[in-house]
Amino acid sequence: MCGIVGVLSGEPAVPLMMDALRRLEYRGYDSAGVATVTGDTLSRRRAPGKLSALQEVLEREPLKGVSGIGHTRWATHGPPNLENAHPHVAGRVAVVHNGIIENHAVLRAELKAEGAVFESATDTEVVAHLLDREISGGATPQEAMARVMPRLTGAFAFVVLIAGEEDLMLAARRASPLAIGIGDGAAYVGSDAVALAPLTRRIVYLQDGDWAVLRRSGVSVFIGDGTPVERTEQVSTVSAAMVGKGNFRHFMEKEIHDQPEAIAHTLHAVIDPGTGEATLPGPLADAASVAKITILAAGTSFYAGLTARYWLESIAGIACEVELASEFRDRKPVLPAGGVAIAVSQSGESLDTLMALRHARTLGQKVLALVNVPESTIAREADGVLLTRAGPEFGVASTKAFTAQLTAFLGLAIALGFARGHIDEAEKRRLVSALEGVPSRVAAVLKDVSRYQSIAHGLSRARDVLYLGRGLSYPIALEGALKLKEITYVHAEGYAAGEMKHGPIALIEDNVPVVIVAPSDGWFDKTASNMAEVRARGGRVILLTDAAGARALGEAADEVVVLPDIAPEVAPILYSIPVQLLAYLAAVEKGTDADQPRNLAKSVTVE
Ligand code: G6P
């Protein structure tokens, strides 16, 4: 995984690449590097850590050249240090790479036996050595690629720069995304079109297995060992604007506060605000014939899927399963004819989710993408797209994209339920109106976050924290625990409240914080019993509930956060906000980097 960029321009390449890399930093920030070629000289600058560290190196030691490649890394092979930072160089060849060369060990052994000396522990370096071996042996760069590509296995994308070749870049894509940008007497490569947006909107998306030879005058695309193919150019609609943090301390804080808008925009993209009518996206258009829905996702998007299952079953009356993409893709699930798979992904680039989408298709399912990024790979490969309208999300921990996914899913369940005759007009109206009431209630919660400060302080100092919920609140408990652990590094577990007695209850001792997500809905009384079990063992109960819940149970909790009254069906969207706030404020208390927590990346493009 990682972000990669390449530039053949008339202007200095480094500032253009640094801007593009800033747009790609969501893909990893373990190290960064750039290389340029001037005449016969390849030069590079690299630094461990975030892009800002590379910027400092470049200020001390500037890099000239109008042709270059750049990289921001999420470490897979080899620790995140200087020697493993890309670009990797062998002889005349420099490479930046995203993904994994799975047969790197065999190739490394072969190259070493011939005398190659490796500088890093990365899988990437074999590509540089293989190409250099061919070129040193007299092959042209194009011939070298044609020979090397069939030797590589795995899911990857890479860009190559060669000493003495100021008007040439080579690029390849197998599963990992890669976009080529066509400029006026310039050519660019980037992991996505957003990275290239300030440079050009003319994009050629490479397909799986493609490789390309780029010159300022144009691009030629090939497959396999060198068969030329045509790939059409399209005009990208992605915005070049760099979104700032405004007056917020972190993107995550801003994105938490963006939610009233993100939810409202998403809702109105699914349900017509005038008529209350919903339109069903392509693969679900024939609602009555949908045999089953299989939701495929990773991380926070998976928890959106778990929530959606309740809605799709109870409101739409459709059989539904939710699958972790990384597990689904290697199984042989038995899926019915007429089934639809929904690939859920903020970025639209998570490789496991993409592979799961492809797998679902081979199993005879139509595929719908529920994504936040319109031109993403998952959106482009699906049979239909339902867009969340959360706007760009930069915080690694997903917030507004999650509540937008929930909103889209509930809108979809209502539309499907009505089209299938599972709910009547009155029930549809009730649910649509409940959904329309969500943005103002979210705004009310965000108006005063001081209530969360002292609780967050306690969580930031805890060793273990449990999150419990039942029914529709169960996925929110999972999401709350994920948020806390990923940005504060405090161990947190989310559990179905009823399952607590089968294990996690052993963790409860004096003052272990237990966050209980419990609006006063049909599951409330049972959750109350589980809360009593926690209290009886000395756990410190933090109850997230509404006024009625507080009246019923307030005395029995150590802390009660009272949220606005809301229909139970839409409560998960509202109850996401306090768990996000608790995690965010705990991270601020602890001083961890909420936007770029260690070891994580926003979009995970390795398997
Ligand atoms: C990473 C991110 C998470 C995200 C997950 C799935 O782990 O850190 O915030 O939920 O990937 O990403 P996707 O873009 O597919 O929703």
Side-chain angles (χ1 to χ4, degrees), residues 1 26-27 177 191-194 238 298 301 343-354 369-380 387-388 390-393 395-396 398 401-402 405 601-605:
M1 209 173 70
Y26 72 91
R27 304 172 72 89
S191 291
D192 64 26
V194 178
V238 299
S301 297
V344 191
S345 174
Q346 185 285 128
S347 61
E349 299 294 351
S350 292
L351 191 59
D352 285 326
T353 309
L354 174 65
L370 176 52
V371 294
N372 196 41
V373 181
E375 286 171 32
S376 55
T377 311
I378 289 175
R380 284 185 281 115
L387 271 186
T388 46
E393 191 184 66
V396 161
S398 184
F402 177 63
Q405 287 166 348
K602 179 111 195 102
S603 168
V604 180
T605 54

mmCIF file of all heavy atoms in Angstrom, residues 1 26-27 177 191-194 238 298 301 343-354 369-380 387-388 390-393 395-396 398 401-402 405 601-605:
data_model
loop_
_atom_site.group_PDB
_atom_site.id
_atom_site.type_symbol
_atom_site.label_atom_id
_atom_site.label_comp_id
_atom_site.label_asym_id
_atom_site.label_seq_id
_atom_site.Cartn_x
_atom_site.Cartn_y
_atom_site.Cartn_z
ATOM 1 N N MET A 1 0.839 -1.174 0.000
ATOM 2 C CA MET A 1 0.000 0.000 0.000
ATOM 3 C C MET A 1 0.879 1.230 0.000
ATOM 4 O O MET A 1 2.029 1.122 0.238
ATOM 5 C CB MET A 1 -0.772 0.011 1.284
ATOM 6 C CG MET A 1 -2.068 0.688 1.150
ATOM 7 S SD MET A 1 -2.909 0.436 2.641
ATOM 8 C CE MET A 1 -2.000 1.413 3.739
ATOM 9 N N TYR A 26 -3.089 10.039 2.712
ATOM 10 C CA TYR A 26 -4.073 9.174 3.367
ATOM 11 C C TYR A 26 -3.736 7.696 3.150
ATOM 12 O O TYR A 26 -4.226 6.832 3.849
ATOM 13 C CB TYR A 26 -5.489 9.486 2.838
ATOM 14 C CG TYR A 26 -5.749 9.022 1.424
ATOM 15 C CD1 TYR A 26 -6.278 7.752 1.178
ATOM 16 C CD2 TYR A 26 -5.463 9.830 0.330
ATOM 17 C CE1 TYR A 26 -6.510 7.307 -0.117
ATOM 18 C CE2 TYR A 26 -5.693 9.401 -0.962
ATOM 19 C CZ TYR A 26 -6.218 8.142 -1.172
ATOM 20 O OH TYR A 26 -6.437 7.702 -2.455
ATOM 21 N N ARG A 27 -2.897 7.401 2.178
ATOM 22 C CA ARG A 27 -2.567 6.013 1.866
ATOM 23 C C ARG A 27 -1.397 5.480 2.689
ATOM 24 O O ARG A 27 -1.012 4.320 2.533
ATOM 25 C CB ARG A 27 -2.237 5.875 0.377
ATOM 26 C CG ARG A 27 -3.355 6.374 -0.510
ATOM 27 C CD ARG A 27 -2.916 6.400 -1.950
ATOM 28 N NE ARG A 27 -2.816 5.066 -2.475
ATOM 29 C CZ ARG A 27 -3.820 4.405 -3.047
ATOM 30 N NH1 ARG A 27 -4.973 4.978 -3.176
ATOM 31 N NH2 ARG A 27 -3.649 3.188 -3.487
ATOM 32 N N PRO A 177 -4.719 0.494 -7.638
ATOM 33 C CA PRO A 177 -5.149 1.510 -8.608
ATOM 34 C C PRO A 177 -4.003 2.343 -9.172
ATOM 35 O O PRO A 177 -2.982 2.535 -8.519
ATOM 36 C CB PRO A 177 -6.086 2.395 -7.778
ATOM 37 C CG PRO A 177 -5.634 2.214 -6.374
ATOM 38 C CD PRO A 177 -5.101 0.824 -6.259
ATOM 39 N N SER A 191 -1.654 7.541 -7.865
ATOM 40 C CA SER A 191 -2.490 6.459 -7.345
ATOM 41 C C SER A 191 -3.970 6.747 -7.534
ATOM 42 O O SER A 191 -4.778 5.836 -7.578
ATOM 43 C CB SER A 191 -2.214 6.240 -5.856
ATOM 44 O OG SER A 191 -0.939 5.710 -5.677
ATOM 45 N N ASP A 192 -4.335 8.029 -7.589
ATOM 46 C CA ASP A 192 -5.727 8.348 -7.914
ATOM 47 C C ASP A 192 -5.792 9.680 -8.652
ATOM 48 O O ASP A 192 -4.801 10.410 -8.749
ATOM 49 C CB ASP A 192 -6.622 8.329 -6.657
ATOM 50 C CG ASP A 192 -6.250 9.393 -5.630
ATOM 51 O OD1 ASP A 192 -5.688 10.432 -6.022
ATOM 52 O OD2 ASP A 192 -6.532 9.167 -4.444
ATOM 53 N N ALA A 193 -6.981 9.962 -9.179
ATOM 54 C CA ALA A 193 -7.149 11.179 -9.977
ATOM 55 C C ALA A 193 -7.112 12.433 -9.104
ATOM 56 O O ALA A 193 -6.780 13.512 -9.589
ATOM 57 C CB ALA A 193 -8.473 11.115 -10.746
ATOM 58 N N VAL A 194 -7.420 12.269 -7.811
ATOM 59 C CA VAL A 194 -7.397 13.433 -6.909
ATOM 60 C C VAL A 194 -5.976 13.983 -6.813
ATOM 61 O O VAL A 194 -5.754 15.196 -6.801
ATOM 62 C CB VAL A 194 -7.923 13.042 -5.502
ATOM 63 C CG1 VAL A 194 -7.857 14.226 -4.551
ATOM 64 C CG2 VAL A 194 -9.340 12.514 -5.600
ATOM 65 N N VAL A 238 -13.191 15.033 -10.396
ATOM 66 C CA VAL A 238 -12.796 15.231 -8.997
ATOM 67 C C VAL A 238 -12.247 16.642 -8.786
ATOM 68 O O VAL A 238 -11.678 17.242 -9.688
ATOM 69 C CB VAL A 238 -11.767 14.181 -8.493
ATOM 70 C CG1 VAL A 238 -12.339 12.795 -8.564
ATOM 71 C CG2 VAL A 238 -10.459 14.295 -9.235
ATOM 72 N N ALA A 298 -14.881 -3.508 4.934
ATOM 73 C CA ALA A 298 -13.789 -3.622 5.918
ATOM 74 C C ALA A 298 -13.889 -2.458 6.899
ATOM 75 O O ALA A 298 -14.427 -1.400 6.571
ATOM 76 C CB ALA A 298 -12.443 -3.559 5.191
ATOM 77 N N SER A 301 -16.574 0.676 7.620
ATOM 78 C CA SER A 301 -17.614 0.403 6.620
ATOM 79 C C SER A 301 -18.305 -0.930 6.911
ATOM 80 O O SER A 301 -19.497 -1.105 6.627
ATOM 81 C CB SER A 301 -16.996 0.364 5.217
ATOM 82 O OG SER A 301 -16.462 1.628 4.896
ATOM 83 N N ALA A 343 -20.840 -3.564 -2.125
ATOM 84 C CA ALA A 343 -19.478 -3.300 -1.645
ATOM 85 C C ALA A 343 -19.477 -1.904 -1.019
ATOM 86 O O ALA A 343 -19.768 -0.924 -1.701
ATOM 87 C CB ALA A 343 -18.489 -3.367 -2.805
ATOM 88 N N VAL A 344 -19.186 -1.854 0.277
ATOM 89 C CA VAL A 344 -19.259 -0.580 0.997
ATOM 90 C C VAL A 344 -17.846 -0.097 1.294
ATOM 91 O O VAL A 344 -17.057 -0.827 1.898
ATOM 92 C CB VAL A 344 -19.996 -0.745 2.353
ATOM 93 C CG1 VAL A 344 -20.290 0.629 2.961
ATOM 94 C CG2 VAL A 344 -21.264 -1.538 2.177
ATOM 95 N N SER A 345 -17.535 1.116 0.882
ATOM 96 C CA SER A 345 -16.177 1.601 1.082
ATOM 97 C C SER A 345 -16.152 3.116 0.978
ATOM 98 O O SER A 345 -16.620 3.673 -0.023
ATOM 99 C CB SER A 345 -15.259 0.997 0.015
ATOM 100 O OG SER A 345 -13.969 1.539 0.094
ATOM 101 N N GLN A 346 -15.641 3.771 2.001
ATOM 102 C CA GLN A 346 -15.496 5.228 1.913
ATOM 103 C C GLN A 346 -14.641 5.564 0.700
ATOM 104 O O GLN A 346 -15.049 6.308 -0.165
ATOM 105 C CB GLN A 346 -14.847 5.743 3.205
ATOM 106 C CG GLN A 346 -14.739 7.252 3.331
ATOM 107 C CD GLN A 346 -13.655 7.895 2.480
ATOM 108 O OE1 GLN A 346 -13.937 8.849 1.734
ATOM 109 N NE2 GLN A 346 -12.446 7.396 2.537
ATOM 110 N N SER A 347 -13.442 5.002 0.668
ATOM 111 C CA SER A 347 -12.469 5.369 -0.370
ATOM 112 C C SER A 347 -12.810 4.773 -1.725
ATOM 113 O O SER A 347 -12.429 5.315 -2.752
ATOM 114 C CB SER A 347 -11.082 4.871 0.040
ATOM 115 O OG SER A 347 -11.093 3.458 0.171
ATOM 116 N N GLY A 348 -13.478 3.633 -1.702
ATOM 117 C CA GLY A 348 -13.699 2.903 -2.953
ATOM 118 C C GLY A 348 -12.422 2.238 -3.449
ATOM 119 O O GLY A 348 -12.345 1.804 -4.597
ATOM 120 N N GLU A 349 -11.409 2.152 -2.579
ATOM 121 C CA GLU A 349 -10.118 1.599 -3.003
ATOM 122 C C GLU A 349 -9.640 0.434 -2.152
ATOM 123 O O GLU A 349 -8.613 -0.158 -2.482
ATOM 124 C CB GLU A 349 -9.029 2.681 -2.984
ATOM 125 C CG GLU A 349 -9.266 3.868 -3.906
ATOM 126 C CD GLU A 349 -9.230 3.524 -5.393
ATOM 127 O OE1 GLU A 349 -8.861 2.392 -5.747
ATOM 128 O OE2 GLU A 349 -9.597 4.400 -6.188
ATOM 129 N N SER A 350 -10.292 0.124 -1.034
ATOM 130 C CA SER A 350 -9.793 -0.963 -0.177
ATOM 131 C C SER A 350 -9.665 -2.231 -1.009
ATOM 132 O O SER A 350 -10.658 -2.697 -1.600
ATOM 133 C CB SER A 350 -10.737 -1.204 0.998
ATOM 134 O OG SER A 350 -10.692 -0.101 1.853
ATOM 135 N N LEU A 351 -8.477 -2.783 -1.038
ATOM 136 C CA LEU A 351 -8.224 -3.881 -1.973
ATOM 137 C C LEU A 351 -9.047 -5.120 -1.631
ATOM 138 O O LEU A 351 -9.561 -5.800 -2.523
ATOM 139 C CB LEU A 351 -6.733 -4.207 -2.005
ATOM 140 C CG LEU A 351 -6.321 -5.146 -3.134
ATOM 141 C CD1 LEU A 351 -6.671 -4.567 -4.495
ATOM 142 C CD2 LEU A 351 -4.847 -5.449 -3.078
ATOM 143 N N ASP A 352 -9.169 -5.410 -0.330
ATOM 144 C CA ASP A 352 -9.960 -6.585 0.053
ATOM 145 C C ASP A 352 -11.407 -6.435 -0.425
ATOM 146 O O ASP A 352 -12.024 -7.402 -0.878
ATOM 147 C CB ASP A 352 -9.946 -6.760 1.575
ATOM 148 C CG ASP A 352 -8.616 -7.316 2.067
ATOM 149 O OD1 ASP A 352 -8.010 -8.128 1.341
ATOM 150 O OD2 ASP A 352 -8.189 -6.943 3.171
ATOM 151 N N THR A 353 -11.938 -5.230 -0.306
ATOM 152 C CA THR A 353 -13.334 -5.017 -0.712
ATOM 153 C C THR A 353 -13.467 -5.126 -2.228
ATOM 154 O O THR A 353 -14.433 -5.694 -2.744
ATOM 155 C CB THR A 353 -13.819 -3.644 -0.188
ATOM 156 O OG1 THR A 353 -13.530 -3.578 1.204
ATOM 157 C CG2 THR A 353 -15.311 -3.460 -0.397
ATOM 158 N N LEU A 354 -12.469 -4.611 -2.935
ATOM 159 C CA LEU A 354 -12.482 -4.737 -4.397
ATOM 160 C C LEU A 354 -12.436 -6.216 -4.807
ATOM 161 O O LEU A 354 -13.179 -6.670 -5.677
ATOM 162 C CB LEU A 354 -11.288 -3.972 -4.988
ATOM 163 C CG LEU A 354 -11.068 -4.130 -6.494
ATOM 164 C CD1 LEU A 354 -12.226 -3.533 -7.292
ATOM 165 C CD2 LEU A 354 -9.758 -3.475 -6.926
ATOM 166 N N ALA A 369 -22.030 -0.549 -5.664
ATOM 167 C CA ALA A 369 -20.990 0.088 -4.845
ATOM 168 C C ALA A 369 -21.632 1.175 -4.002
ATOM 169 O O ALA A 369 -22.375 2.009 -4.524
ATOM 170 C CB ALA A 369 -19.917 0.704 -5.749
ATOM 171 N N LEU A 370 -21.361 1.151 -2.700
ATOM 172 C CA LEU A 370 -21.771 2.261 -1.831
ATOM 173 C C LEU A 370 -20.477 2.940 -1.397
ATOM 174 O O LEU A 370 -19.767 2.459 -0.504
ATOM 175 C CB LEU A 370 -22.564 1.739 -0.624
ATOM 176 C CG LEU A 370 -22.980 2.762 0.437
ATOM 177 C CD1 LEU A 370 -23.711 3.942 -0.174
ATOM 178 C CD2 LEU A 370 -23.876 2.121 1.479
ATOM 179 N N VAL A 371 -20.124 4.011 -2.098
ATOM 180 C CA VAL A 371 -18.810 4.636 -1.894
ATOM 181 C C VAL A 371 -18.952 6.142 -1.729
ATOM 182 O O VAL A 371 -19.971 6.731 -2.107
ATOM 183 C CB VAL A 371 -17.852 4.361 -3.087
ATOM 184 C CG1 VAL A 371 -17.514 2.892 -3.188
ATOM 185 C CG2 VAL A 371 -18.433 4.865 -4.386
ATOM 186 N N ASN A 372 -17.881 6.735 -1.223
ATOM 187 C CA ASN A 372 -17.869 8.191 -1.029
ATOM 188 C C ASN A 372 -17.050 8.890 -2.118
ATOM 189 O O ASN A 372 -17.086 10.094 -2.228
ATOM 190 C CB ASN A 372 -17.297 8.506 0.358
ATOM 191 C CG ASN A 372 -17.599 9.915 0.802
ATOM 192 O OD1 ASN A 372 -18.712 10.406 0.596
ATOM 193 N ND2 ASN A 372 -16.627 10.580 1.408
ATOM 194 N N VAL A 373 -16.284 8.096 -2.878
ATOM 195 C CA VAL A 373 -15.409 8.686 -3.894
ATOM 196 C C VAL A 373 -15.886 8.208 -5.269
ATOM 197 O O VAL A 373 -15.730 7.041 -5.638
ATOM 198 C CB VAL A 373 -13.931 8.288 -3.659
ATOM 199 C CG1 VAL A 373 -13.030 8.921 -4.712
ATOM 200 C CG2 VAL A 373 -13.485 8.720 -2.263
ATOM 201 N N PRO A 374 -16.474 9.127 -6.058
ATOM 202 C CA PRO A 374 -17.171 8.737 -7.280
ATOM 203 C C PRO A 374 -16.322 7.993 -8.309
ATOM 204 O O PRO A 374 -16.804 7.062 -8.923
ATOM 205 C CB PRO A 374 -17.663 10.062 -7.859
ATOM 206 C CG PRO A 374 -17.412 11.111 -6.842
ATOM 207 C CD PRO A 374 -16.538 10.550 -5.772
ATOM 208 N N GLU A 375 -15.067 8.405 -8.514
ATOM 209 C CA GLU A 375 -14.290 7.751 -9.579
ATOM 210 C C GLU A 375 -13.372 6.662 -9.046
ATOM 211 O O GLU A 375 -12.403 6.276 -9.690
ATOM 212 C CB GLU A 375 -13.468 8.793 -10.343
ATOM 213 C CG GLU A 375 -14.347 9.629 -11.247
ATOM 214 C CD GLU A 375 -13.627 10.812 -11.864
ATOM 215 O OE1 GLU A 375 -12.426 10.716 -12.125
ATOM 216 O OE2 GLU A 375 -14.280 11.844 -12.063
ATOM 217 N N SER A 376 -13.677 6.165 -7.865
ATOM 218 C CA SER A 376 -12.821 5.144 -7.275
ATOM 219 C C SER A 376 -12.929 3.830 -8.042
ATOM 220 O O SER A 376 -13.861 3.623 -8.829
ATOM 221 C CB SER A 376 -13.220 4.930 -5.821
ATOM 222 O OG SER A 376 -14.591 4.613 -5.767
ATOM 223 N N THR A 377 -11.982 2.945 -7.789
ATOM 224 C CA THR A 377 -11.951 1.677 -8.518
ATOM 225 C C THR A 377 -13.228 0.871 -8.272
ATOM 226 O O THR A 377 -13.803 0.298 -9.205
ATOM 227 C CB THR A 377 -10.716 0.859 -8.065
ATOM 228 O OG1 THR A 377 -9.584 1.708 -8.099
ATOM 229 C CG2 THR A 377 -10.477 -0.328 -8.966
ATOM 230 N N ILE A 378 -13.673 0.828 -7.016
ATOM 231 C CA ILE A 378 -14.867 0.027 -6.706
ATOM 232 C C ILE A 378 -16.084 0.614 -7.428
ATOM 233 O O ILE A 378 -16.897 -0.124 -7.995
ATOM 234 C CB ILE A 378 -15.062 -0.061 -5.172
ATOM 235 C CG1 ILE A 378 -13.971 -0.968 -4.584
ATOM 236 C CG2 ILE A 378 -16.462 -0.562 -4.801
ATOM 237 C CD1 ILE A 378 -13.930 -1.066 -3.069
ATOM 238 N N ALA A 379 -16.178 1.937 -7.469
ATOM 239 C CA ALA A 379 -17.296 2.571 -8.185
ATOM 240 C C ALA A 379 -17.228 2.226 -9.668
ATOM 241 O O ALA A 379 -18.250 1.923 -10.299
ATOM 242 C CB ALA A 379 -17.248 4.078 -7.984
ATOM 243 N N ARG A 380 -16.028 2.238 -10.212
ATOM 244 C CA ARG A 380 -15.897 1.993 -11.658
ATOM 245 C C ARG A 380 -16.181 0.540 -12.014
ATOM 246 O O ARG A 380 -16.644 0.245 -13.105
ATOM 247 C CB ARG A 380 -14.508 2.420 -12.152
ATOM 248 C CG ARG A 380 -14.398 3.944 -12.262
ATOM 249 C CD ARG A 380 -13.092 4.400 -12.857
ATOM 250 N NE ARG A 380 -12.020 4.375 -11.889
ATOM 251 C CZ ARG A 380 -10.954 3.595 -11.956
ATOM 252 N NH1 ARG A 380 -10.800 2.774 -12.977
ATOM 253 N NH2 ARG A 380 -10.046 3.630 -11.018
ATOM 254 N N LEU A 387 -23.935 6.830 -4.076
ATOM 255 C CA LEU A 387 -22.880 7.684 -3.518
ATOM 256 C C LEU A 387 -23.286 8.258 -2.176
ATOM 257 O O LEU A 387 -24.385 8.793 -2.044
ATOM 258 C CB LEU A 387 -22.637 8.861 -4.450
ATOM 259 C CG LEU A 387 -21.633 8.730 -5.573
ATOM 260 C CD1 LEU A 387 -21.473 10.081 -6.250
ATOM 261 C CD2 LEU A 387 -20.278 8.247 -5.053
ATOM 262 N N THR A 388 -22.392 8.147 -1.210
ATOM 263 C CA THR A 388 -22.589 8.940 -0.007
ATOM 264 C C THR A 388 -22.062 10.339 -0.325
ATOM 265 O O THR A 388 -21.142 10.497 -1.124
ATOM 266 C CB THR A 388 -21.813 8.351 1.185
ATOM 267 O OG1 THR A 388 -20.486 8.032 0.769
ATOM 268 C CG2 THR A 388 -22.482 7.100 1.709
ATOM 269 N N ALA A 390 -20.647 12.626 1.722
ATOM 270 C CA ALA A 390 -19.990 13.128 2.930
ATOM 271 C C ALA A 390 -18.941 14.184 2.603
ATOM 272 O O ALA A 390 -18.490 14.905 3.480
ATOM 273 C CB ALA A 390 -19.352 11.979 3.699
ATOM 274 N N GLY A 391 -18.531 14.281 1.332
ATOM 275 C CA GLY A 391 -17.404 15.159 0.996
ATOM 276 C C GLY A 391 -16.114 14.464 1.370
ATOM 277 O O GLY A 391 -16.136 13.427 2.060
ATOM 278 N N PRO A 392 -14.969 15.010 0.924
ATOM 279 C CA PRO A 392 -13.698 14.322 1.178
ATOM 280 C C PRO A 392 -13.457 14.125 2.671
ATOM 281 O O PRO A 392 -13.676 15.037 3.458
ATOM 282 C CB PRO A 392 -12.645 15.271 0.602
ATOM 283 C CG PRO A 392 -13.388 16.268 -0.204
ATOM 284 C CD PRO A 392 -14.809 16.271 0.219
ATOM 285 N N GLU A 393 -13.013 12.931 3.025
ATOM 286 C CA GLU A 393 -12.712 12.635 4.423
ATOM 287 C C GLU A 393 -11.216 12.361 4.536
ATOM 288 O O GLU A 393 -10.692 11.517 3.824
ATOM 289 C CB GLU A 393 -13.526 11.412 4.873
ATOM 290 C CG GLU A 393 -13.468 11.191 6.374
ATOM 291 C CD GLU A 393 -14.209 9.919 6.794
ATOM 292 O OE1 GLU A 393 -13.755 8.822 6.409
ATOM 293 O OE2 GLU A 393 -15.222 10.031 7.488
ATOM 294 N N GLY A 395 -9.386 12.467 7.912
ATOM 295 C CA GLY A 395 -9.021 11.804 9.166
ATOM 296 C C GLY A 395 -8.978 10.302 8.907
ATOM 297 O O GLY A 395 -9.890 9.765 8.273
ATOM 298 N N VAL A 396 -7.928 9.652 9.379
ATOM 299 C CA VAL A 396 -7.818 8.213 9.111
ATOM 300 C C VAL A 396 -8.995 7.460 9.733
ATOM 301 O O VAL A 396 -9.527 6.512 9.159
ATOM 302 C CB VAL A 396 -6.451 7.684 9.609
ATOM 303 C CG1 VAL A 396 -6.469 6.181 9.775
ATOM 304 C CG2 VAL A 396 -5.372 8.068 8.608
ATOM 305 N N SER A 398 -12.592 6.976 10.265
ATOM 306 C CA SER A 398 -13.760 7.436 9.519
ATOM 307 C C SER A 398 -14.854 7.920 10.469
ATOM 308 O O SER A 398 -15.135 7.298 11.489
ATOM 309 C CB SER A 398 -14.282 6.265 8.686
ATOM 310 O OG SER A 398 -15.346 6.679 7.882
ATOM 311 N N ALA A 401 -18.109 9.751 6.951
ATOM 312 C CA ALA A 401 -18.419 8.764 5.908
ATOM 313 C C ALA A 401 -19.271 7.645 6.504
ATOM 314 O O ALA A 401 -20.162 7.105 5.840
ATOM 315 C CB ALA A 401 -17.137 8.194 5.313
ATOM 316 N N PHE A 402 -19.013 7.304 7.789
ATOM 317 C CA PHE A 402 -19.778 6.238 8.457
ATOM 318 C C PHE A 402 -21.244 6.633 8.602
ATOM 319 O O PHE A 402 -22.152 5.887 8.206
ATOM 320 C CB PHE A 402 -19.156 5.957 9.826
ATOM 321 C CG PHE A 402 -19.892 4.937 10.652
ATOM 322 C CD1 PHE A 402 -20.020 3.620 10.220
ATOM 323 C CD2 PHE A 402 -20.457 5.284 11.870
ATOM 324 C CE1 PHE A 402 -20.689 2.675 10.994
ATOM 325 C CE2 PHE A 402 -21.114 4.344 12.653
ATOM 326 C CZ PHE A 402 -21.242 3.038 12.208
ATOM 327 N N GLN A 405 -22.888 6.591 5.355
ATOM 328 C CA GLN A 405 -23.198 5.213 4.905
ATOM 329 C C GLN A 405 -24.468 4.715 5.587
ATOM 330 O O GLN A 405 -25.336 4.094 4.948
ATOM 331 C CB GLN A 405 -22.043 4.266 5.249
ATOM 332 C CG GLN A 405 -20.811 4.446 4.369
ATOM 333 C CD GLN A 405 -19.571 3.754 4.951
ATOM 334 O OE1 GLN A 405 -19.557 3.321 6.110
ATOM 335 N NE2 GLN A 405 -18.526 3.659 4.153
ATOM 336 N N ALA A 601 -3.580 3.592 7.918
ATOM 337 C CA ALA A 601 -3.721 4.395 6.714
ATOM 338 C C ALA A 601 -5.194 4.503 6.405
ATOM 339 O O ALA A 601 -5.988 3.671 6.840
ATOM 340 C CB ALA A 601 -2.987 3.761 5.549
ATOM 341 N N LYS A 602 -5.554 5.512 5.677
ATOM 342 C CA LYS A 602 -6.969 5.741 5.393
ATOM 343 C C LYS A 602 -7.506 4.733 4.396
ATOM 344 O O LYS A 602 -8.652 4.329 4.466
ATOM 345 C CB LYS A 602 -7.143 7.163 4.861
ATOM 346 C CG LYS A 602 -8.551 7.528 4.514
ATOM 347 C CD LYS A 602 -9.095 8.558 5.473
ATOM 348 C CE LYS A 602 -10.589 8.702 5.402
ATOM 349 N NZ LYS A 602 -11.263 8.012 6.498
ATOM 350 N N SER A 603 -6.683 4.405 3.426
ATOM 351 C CA SER A 603 -7.152 3.489 2.398
ATOM 352 C C SER A 603 -6.141 2.349 2.311
ATOM 353 O O SER A 603 -4.966 2.588 2.069
ATOM 354 C CB SER A 603 -7.244 4.244 1.077
ATOM 355 O OG SER A 603 -7.426 3.349 0.038
ATOM 356 N N VAL A 604 -6.617 1.132 2.536
ATOM 357 C CA VAL A 604 -5.695 0.008 2.658
ATOM 358 C C VAL A 604 -5.718 -0.776 1.348
ATOM 359 O O VAL A 604 -6.648 -1.522 1.083
ATOM 360 C CB VAL A 604 -6.069 -0.876 3.855
ATOM 361 C CG1 VAL A 604 -5.103 -2.039 3.982
ATOM 362 C CG2 VAL A 604 -6.039 -0.054 5.130
ATOM 363 N N THR A 605 -4.654 -0.595 0.556
ATOM 364 C CA THR A 605 -4.655 -1.199 -0.765
ATOM 365 C C THR A 605 -3.696 -2.374 -0.856
ATOM 366 O O THR A 605 -3.120 -2.636 -1.895
ATOM 367 C CB THR A 605 -4.330 -0.137 -1.837
ATOM 368 O OG1 THR A 605 -3.105 0.493 -1.479
ATOM 369 C CG2 THR A 605 -5.414 0.897 -1.918
#
